[in-house]
Amino acid sequence: MRRIVSVWLIDWPVTVRARSAGRTSPPDPALAPAVPLALIRRTARGAVIHALNPAARAAGLRRGQTQADALAMIPALACRPADPEADRSALEGLAVWAERWSPAVSLSASGDGLDGICFDMTGAAHLFGGEAALPDRIGTRLAEAGIGARVAVAPTIGAAWALARHGDPERRTLSVDDDSLRGSLAGLPVEALRVGANIVAEARRFGLKRIGDLYPIPRAGLARRFREGDGIDLVRRLDQALGFAAEALVPVRAAPRYRVWEAHAEPLTDMDGIVARLPGLATDLAAALDRDGQGARALTLSGFRTDGTVSGLSVRMSRPDRDPGVWLRLFRERGLERIDPGFGIDALMLSADLTEPVTARQTEMTGQAVEDRAAALAPLIDRLSARLGEGRVLRPEPVDSWIPERAERLRPALGHVPSVTDPGDGRRRPILLLDPSEPIEALAELPDGAPARFTWRRVSRRVKRSDGPERLSPEWWRPRPDGRQVRTRDYYCVEDDGGRRYWLFREGLYGREYAGHDDERAPSWWMHGMFA
Amino acid sequence: MDPSPRLSNAPYPADPAVLEEVCAAGPGDLASAFAFALSRAPEAGRPVVFLAAPRAWLAEHGRPYGRGLPGVELILAATSTGVEGLWAMEQALRSGAVTMALGGIEEASLAQTRRLGFAAHEGGSVGVMLRLRGGGTERGPTALAHRARGQCGRTRRRPGPGGRTIVGRTGAQPQRAAGCVDAGAG
């Protein structure tokens, strides 16, 4: 028997506002529970109510009413603007927090928008105090985080959704099993089957107000009568709710295949607790990976906080590894203090987001030094990348181009296996390259003599020896982004009277690419690198 | 122990010691100091060189160009502070995965250079510190075995407290890089 948990977050936009109010702005008196509050959204019809709090609902307002009507009914209504984007991202954050109960959590919507989460807890209820206590625990945990919700547990997604939203309003948590499924659903209204408003209206015309009224009617007749254009029909929803048709949950994030977690009765409030528990988690995860012959390449440590958010830390490795000592060291280099416990972390999870098969290799008896070096290089790069950041540990990689600044690019060394290096074409290239090249003023003989004197970074230098030109034609198939014509470069190696050697170029050829007209750019000189 | 460095007239030792220093005579001499530092790599098939360079250094003087260093496998780490640079260099030296580790570090105390020396010894690699601003007269004792001051065309050497006093000098020949010091050049 499957156990699907559906959580209906009552008045989620108002809850989001109340949770963020104290954090990012001064406290708002309109958010007190006794004050009727409406969140207003602009539509084509004007300003309509997007969400209400219980006080406003008790006063008789509904969603979808225009703001003018609402204010006429209750002049003391407090109105604030609605923010559907913030509501959605907050709901996604809550779904990530709900991963403490199940690896795959999905968002669920009703006619009013996204207002709930749904996850599968088949076979895991014993970890949370048993089948009977499970919905109460979830409800209590959400209430402690300041979120008003109703929790329902049922064998199918449709039934759980229906019970959470349309079940008995007196009870906060509901749980049904296979035997009582039909009976529990029979008393719910037809809207609880997630069908559109016009199907509900049509059913009402036929006198079908409850789901129980649908049971005795032959299915072929129902299917013919109630069908919407996009294929969602009443019979399919009824079958999904009763478990005769399949339905899948689409999780917010892909669930990692390997994860270990542990919950704590007393929340961990400082780093010592996390540091003490991490080695145990790492050993368990390594054992799980070992059974399948996999090694981890990306690990994430997540701390689920009591206020409904998640704080996490990730590390990546160049080669698949399953040594817990190495993982712990990488996490320490990354900095465990980046995890913010807030008011307390009550569950820790270590997951392997990316795994690859790893084969144990027997080390050579003779111990070749070169292989040892190659094997030791990957962990060194992992450690450096963990502390400095992946974008700061780089390797040059040759690119198939003869333009010097494009002939090579620096790529992050993590996870990047160096390709076969090309032997080079024997041309002289500097050991330090200025990227981008810097403009200089040079005095040279036309049309293609080497400069006799040049000024770079405000220092005038005189050239004693020079070599060149090395002519590099432009890559004509790559136009410049600003539309100017790309011109030929003549490279010169020059040595000045101090003994320093530079690599300069002139872009543009006299004669062929520059004819001396006023509207053309004259060829210019640039400094590109330094030789040893 | 004489703290003031003196120049001397013997050839530069060809074998690299565990920890050395090369310092550029002026801001324009960084390329030659870099090349000289690279020449201190022990003779091996294809040296793996690690360079921990401050980001300001890279922005102002240009980045190392792999095409200009044939036969060298280079790993570059861009650091922000001196402490990060020292840490990166120590990690590279201790791991034994690189043949030589260069660090663009301005200031290092006796304790820090001793630590780098131990790490180099443990990993079996060579460490070279690359300094931009020259002038060693005002610095205190360090654990460096040799110190060199690289200037294009001319190379002089200043002794550390435990080092030998040698100077090498190359002629300003356009075909030879300043890093090629032949023993006995006068």
Side-chain angles (χ1 to χ4, degrees), chain A residues 300-312:
Chain A
T300 304
L301 176 67
S302 317
F304 297 99
R305 291 164 38 162
T306 50
D307 59 357
T309 51
V310 179
S311 177

Side-chain angles (χ1 to χ4, degrees), chain A residues 317-398:
Chain A
M317 285 165 277
S318 326
R319 299 193 310 185
D321 201 309
R322 33 165 204 260
D323 183 4
V326 169
W327 297 347
L328 291 174
R329 190 162 172 194
L330 283 176
F331 272 116
R332 271 192 216 106
E333 296 290 355
R334 185 58 125 183
L336 283 170
E337 59 273 0
R338 289 191 199 198
I339 300 182
D340 177 19
F343 287 113
I345 287 180
D346 55 3
L348 268 182
M349 179 174 88
L350 184 65
S351 58
D353 306 318
L354 186 63
T355 59
E356 273 180 16
V358 63
T359 49
R361 243 189 325 209
Q362 184 175 357
T363 53
E364 288 280 334
M365 299 285 277
T366 53
Q368 298 159 357
V370 174
E371 272 200 14
D372 286 343
R373 277 196 199 283
L377 191 58
L380 170 67
I381 293 180
D382 293 340
R383 275 203 301 280
L384 291 169
S385 304
R387 170 131 166 196
L388 301 174
E390 286 176 24
R392 305 240 299 253
V393 181
L394 305 164
R395 255 199 174 141
E397 183 194 338

Side-chain angles (χ1 to χ4, degrees), chain A residues 329 333 373 376-377 380-381 383-384 387-388 392-396 398-401 403-405 407-410 413 418 421-422 425 429-435 438 457 465 495 498-501 530-532, chain B residues 28-32 34-35 46 48 50 55 57 60-69 73-80 83-84 87-88 91-92 95-99 123-124 152 172-174 176-178:
Chain A
R329 190 162 172 194
E333 296 290 355
R373 277 196 199 283
L377 191 58
L380 170 67
I381 293 180
R383 275 203 301 280
L384 291 169
R387 170 131 166 196
L388 301 174
R392 305 240 299 253
V393 181
L394 305 164
R395 255 199 174 141
V399 173
D400 185 17
S401 164
I403 305 294
E405 67 266 18
E408 179 183 276
R409 56 180 177 169
L410 291 175
T421 52
D422 65 323
D425 39 17
R429 288 289 177 266
I431 63 168
L432 288 177
L433 191 79
L434 287 174
D435 193 10
E438 296 188 3
R457 289 186 178 170
R465 294 186 181 87
E495 178 179 333
R500 304 185 181 116
R501 298 192 187 95
M530 263 82 71
F531 285 94
Chain B
D29 298 318
L30 184 62
S32 7
F34 182 43
R46 193 179 149 78
V48 179
F50 172 80
R55 286 154 73 182
W57 197 100
E60 190 181 337
H61 298 275
R63 59 173 173 86
Y65 192 44
R67 294 229 181 211
L69 299 166
E73 193 179 328
L74 182 68
I75 301 170
L76 175 66
T79 61
S80 341
V83 173
E84 260 185 22
W87 175 84
Q91 292 295 312
S95 71
V98 298
T99 324
C152 342
Q173 299 166 21
R176 260 237 185 90

Side-chain angles (χ1 to χ4, degrees), chain A residues 232-291:
Chain A
I232 301 174
D233 55 355
L234 190 62
V235 175
R236 194 165 69 89
R237 285 299 192 197
L238 188 61
D239 284 344
Q240 282 175 345
L242 289 173
F244 301 132
E247 191 181 357
L249 280 174
V250 179
V252 172
R253 332 196 265 194
R257 203 168 143 215
Y258 297 94
R259 52 178 237 156
V260 295
W261 61 270
E262 57 180 25
H264 304 280
E266 277 287 328
L268 306 168
T269 46
D270 58 2
M271 293 316 305
D272 295 337
I274 298 175
V275 168
R277 303 308 310 162
L278 187 54
L281 288 175
T283 316
D284 292 341
L285 185 63
L289 287 170
D290 197 17
R291 273 198 297 271

Side-chain angles (χ1 to χ4, degrees), chain A residues 5-38:
Chain A
V5 176
S6 180
V7 178
W8 179 45
L9 302 164
I10 306 170
D11 295 327
W12 177 239
V14 176
T15 310
V16 171
R17 271 223 82 116
R19 286 175 83 206
S20 66
R23 284 185 213 159
T24 56
S25 51
D28 191 352
L31 292 171
V35 176
L37 170 72

Side-chain angles (χ1 to χ4, degrees), chain A residues 373 377 380 384, chain B residues 16-22 34 37-38 40-42 47-53 72-77 85-105 116-117 119-121 123-131 144:
Chain A
R373 277 196 199 283
L377 191 58
L380 170 67
L384 291 169
Chain B
V18 155
L19 189 65
E20 300 188 351
E21 176 193 278
V22 177
F34 182 43
L38 283 174
R40 302 304 294 159
V48 179
V49 173
F50 172 80
L51 172 63
V72 171
E73 193 179 328
L74 182 68
I75 301 170
L76 175 66
L86 283 168
W87 175 84
M89 207 169 148
E90 183 188 351
Q91 292 295 312
L93 286 171
R94 181 170 290 137
S95 71
V98 298
T99 324
M100 183 162 77
L102 298 169
I105 297 156
L116 287 177
H121 209 79
S125 6
V126 172
V128 177
M129 296 177 50
L130 201 51
R131 254 194 170 85
L144 299 160

Side-chain angles (χ1 to χ4, degrees), chain A residues 139-297:
Chain A
T140 315
R141 186 63 75 185
L142 285 168
E144 281 171 10
I147 300 170
R150 279 170 44 137
V151 182
V153 183
T156 62
I157 301 174
W161 192 96
L163 288 166
R165 283 159 182 75
H166 296 272
D168 186 0
E170 300 298 316
R171 298 172 55 185
R172 202 182 57 176
T173 60
L174 289 162
S175 177
V176 301
D177 51 13
D178 270 340
D179 308 325
S180 52
L181 182 59
R182 270 181 89 96
S184 320
L185 282 180
L188 302 181
V190 175
E191 294 87 72
L193 283 179
R194 293 179 290 172
V195 288
N198 39 357
I199 289 195
V200 173
E202 187 133 351
R204 207 174 285 264
R205 276 214 331 253
F206 285 98
L208 305 167
K209 294 201 191 59
R210 310 229 156 252
I211 299 179
D213 301 337
L214 298 173
Y215 288 163
I217 301 179
R219 292 161 52 89
L222 273 182
R224 257 199 322 271
R225 194 82 206 105
F226 298 101
R227 181 188 299 275
E228 282 205 337
D230 50 356
I232 301 174
D233 55 355
L234 190 62
V235 175
R236 194 165 69 89
R237 285 299 192 197
L238 188 61
D239 284 344
Q240 282 175 345
L242 289 173
F244 301 132
E247 191 181 357
L249 280 174
V250 179
V252 172
R253 332 196 265 194
R257 203 168 143 215
Y258 297 94
R259 52 178 237 156
V260 295
W261 61 270
E262 57 180 25
H264 304 280
E266 277 287 328
L268 306 168
T269 46
D270 58 2
M271 293 316 305
D272 295 337
I274 298 175
V275 168
R277 303 308 310 162
L278 187 54
L281 288 175
T283 316
D284 292 341
L285 185 63
L289 287 170
D290 197 17
R291 273 198 297 271
D292 292 346
Q294 301 272 344
R297 282 197 57 191

